[in-house]
Amino acid sequence: MELSDKEEGKRVVNREGQEVGMVSKVEGHRAHVDPDPGLTDSIKSKLGWGDSDEDMYPIDESDVETITDDEIKLKR
């Protein structure tokens, strides 16, 4: 699956469908996931104002099983 800036603001779920965070920023083939996004973080990501910091976790395109309009599902 190919990641793009359209994924910013989408929720990220594990294989069982449990939410693990929200995409804050996409750079190249990697998304930076905020594991505990608040309302402000969600709005900032939708507007493209997200910042990558030490509380973010990277996921690569190879980690992604599916991408829908609302979420990214991880393979593992």
Side-chain angles (χ1 to χ4, degrees):
M1 300 258 83
E2 189 170 322
L3 295 169
S4 73
D5 61 354
K6 295 186 310 185
E7 275 60 79
E8 292 177 5
K10 290 184 181 182
R11 66 189 199 117
V12 179
V13 298
N14 64 16
R15 194 172 172 103
E16 290 78 33
Q18 297 173 324
E19 187 169 350
V20 297
M22 179 193 72
V23 176
S24 178
K25 188 172 190 171
V26 176
E27 294 178 320
H29 301 283
R30 178 172 282 175
H32 298 273
V33 178
D34 182 348
D36 187 25
L39 181 59
T40 302
D41 293 330
S42 179
I43 292 169
K44 285 170 58 177
S45 285
K46 290 285 186 188
L47 294 173
W49 298 346
D51 293 318
S52 181
D53 65 19
E54 61 197 45
D55 293 334
M56 300 291 163
Y57 297 95
I59 58 169
D60 293 318
E61 289 176 343
S62 62
D63 299 322
V64 176
E65 183 173 312
T66 59
I67 299 174
T68 67
D69 290 340
D70 301 320
E71 70 182 23
I72 295 174
K73 185 175 183 181
L74 301 176
K75 289 181 180 177
R76 43 184 172 255

